[in-house]
Amino acid sequence: MKIIVPMAGRGSRLRPHTLTVPKPLIPVAGQPIVHRLVSDIAKVLGEPIEEIAFILGDPAFFGDDVVSSLTSLAESLGAKASIYRQDEPLGTGHAIMSAAPSLSGPAVIAYADTLIRADFDLDKDADAAIWVKQVDRPEAYGVVKLNDNKEIVELVEKPQEFVSDLAVIGIYYFKDVGVLKNELQYVLDNNIINGGEYQINDGIKRMMANGKVFVTGKVDEWMDCGNKNVTVETNTRMLGFLEKDGEKLISGAITQENATIIPPCYIGDNVTLRNTTVGPNVSIGDDCILEDTTIKNSLVQTKTVIKNATLDNAMIGNNAVYNGSHTTISIGDYSVLE
């Protein structure tokens, strides 16, 4: 089994945090989004992963540190890491074809801007599966249309009339991803463009037209990381799941002086808490210092100093300094607010 991970986009909706760090490497509950997503998919598949192919963008932004991080992720799952580049942002189908040498055999394709919680058996008798989640407002999503045999027969983008309430979440399984490769090559060769880009859906639609059977894979939870507010919410939900799973979330290498921690919280190594209350629903990365602060429902990355603050629904980047009275803030890496 292979996992193909397109992650070339910079994540403009999550600025300023993605000005210096690619969105898939923003940590949620102490772990980068892409690390958590790929690890959770591997658990769901329940079989050895042969290769993980990552499709990155501009090397000036997705540099050697990103490549090293992703290589370590693949190796931790017993897989080979393959690194590809999408030189131009020409759509999901174009991104996948940037990894053409790896597009053979059984594979999962997963876009690295979402997180899932799932526990199900993958139907490997079908030619392909599309992960979906039941949603309240299907008109805001791309959805799947099913026939009487519960097979997917159509993909409909933001339907104005009810088609189904099963939204496509951006994770796919292909019994032989080489079939998708051939159809996407046709899309590229014939310049089939939707929304100004080459789309994976056009390859999938060609597979369906040629009789390939698509079924649904349903997830229990689908968590977005599209902007600051939903990323903070996703952090909260993930902390709750991890606490329920019994995971150790608070490092043994922290310093507390007159400090209170209200779970669930993730607190990394070498964090100092003085005259501070943390939680609930807070993630704090390694090497942070918090003094005279109350913080809840927030996400703080690494090597950041926070003083004299009362924070709620805040997101603060790496190497930042914050000393102030605002409650709800979003500041990126290396920011100083005093």
Side-chain angles (χ1 to χ4, degrees):
M1 181 70 72
K2 298 177 181 178
I3 302 177
I4 314 296
V5 189
M7 49 182 290
R10 294 184 65 135
S12 59
R13 291 189 299 146
L14 198 51
R15 290 176 179 169
H17 303 279
T18 53
L19 292 173
T20 51
V21 177
K23 182 168 73 170
L25 294 183
I26 297 290
V28 169
Q31 193 174 43
I33 294 168
V34 65
H35 287 232
R36 196 171 288 286
L37 173 66
V38 171
S39 297
D40 286 347
I41 289 173
K43 289 177 186 177
V44 169
L45 295 175
E47 62 180 80
I49 307 300
E50 166 193 346
E51 177 185 6
I52 305 176
F54 300 97
I55 300 137
L56 310 181
D58 183 355
F61 189 61
F62 294 86
D64 292 343
D65 55 338
V66 175
V67 171
S68 176
S69 171
L70 297 176
T71 300
S72 296
L73 168 61
E75 292 174 350
S76 73
L77 296 171
K80 168 191 171 185
S82 296
I83 305 296
Y84 297 95
R85 299 285 178 177
Q86 184 186 21
D87 296 329
E88 297 180 81
L90 296 179
T92 56
H94 181 267
I96 292 163
M97 289 300 288
S98 299
S102 294
L103 299 181
S104 63
V108 167
I109 295 175
Y111 293 98
D113 59 357
T114 190
L115 291 171
I116 62 167
R117 300 284 286 184
D119 184 13
F120 60 85
D121 294 325
L122 191 63
D123 183 355
K124 295 184 180 177
D125 292 328
D127 295 301
I130 299 176
W131 268 263
V132 297
K133 179 70 172 72
Q134 192 170 25
V135 295
D136 293 332
R137 295 179 57 248
E139 68 275 9
Y141 302 91
V143 301
V144 298
K145 182 179 180 179
L146 307 181
N147 63 15
D148 293 339
N149 294 323
K150 304 298 184 183
E151 297 167 349
I152 302 171
V153 293
E154 190 175 355
L155 300 173
V156 183
E157 186 66 27
K158 298 183 179 179
Q160 295 307 300
E161 297 182 2
F162 184 82
V163 174
S164 85
D165 58 0
L166 299 177
V168 177
I169 69 169
I171 305 176
Y172 311 80
Y173 163 76
F174 297 90
K175 184 187 291 186
D176 180 5
V177 76
V179 179
L180 175 68
K181 174 185 176 180
N182 292 338
E183 301 298 355
L184 286 176
Q185 189 63 58
Y186 181 92
V187 169
L188 295 178
D189 290 344
N190 290 274
N191 203 33
I192 299 172
I193 292 176
N194 279 298
E197 297 179 333
Y198 300 102
Q199 305 290 357
I200 185 177
N201 281 2
D202 289 311
I204 290 173
K205 288 174 182 178
R206 287 186 55 80
M207 289 180 65
M208 290 178 179
N210 290 329
K212 299 301 182 183
V213 176
F214 280 72
V215 298
T216 59
K218 294 184 180 179
V219 297
D220 301 318
E221 298 287 344
W222 172 32
M223 294 163 281
D224 189 17
C225 299
N227 59 42
K228 172 256 185 179
N229 286 336
V230 297
T231 301
V232 171
E233 179 185 348
T234 291
N235 181 69
T236 292
R237 292 171 66 188
M238 185 59 70
L239 286 171
F241 296 137
L242 296 176
E243 183 186 46
K244 188 175 180 180
D245 292 345
E247 288 203 21
K248 186 177 186 297
L249 296 175
I250 299 176
S251 169
I254 67 173
T255 299
Q256 297 184 69
E257 300 174 11
N258 190 31
T260 300
I261 300 172
I262 305 171
C265 289
Y266 170 85
I267 302 179
D269 293 337
N270 303 316
V271 170
T272 297
L273 305 175
R274 295 190 183 98
N275 303 318
T276 289
T277 298
V278 177
N281 307 319
V282 173
S283 288
I284 300 175
D286 295 347
D287 303 306
C288 288
I289 298 172
L290 281 72
E291 295 183 356
D292 302 305
T293 289
T294 298
I295 181 170
K296 61 183 178 180
N297 307 314
S298 296
L299 196 160
V300 180
Q301 296 185 48
T302 63
K303 300 178 181 178
T304 282
V305 177
I306 302 172
K307 297 182 179 181
N308 305 309
T310 300
L311 296 173
D312 186 5
N313 188 34
M315 187 167 175
I316 301 177
N318 301 283
N319 298 285
V321 175
Y322 179 73
N323 186 342
S325 59
H326 296 287
T327 299
T328 300
I329 62 171
S330 180
I331 58 175
D333 293 359
Y334 302 99
S335 299
V336 178
L337 289 177
E338 295 182 317

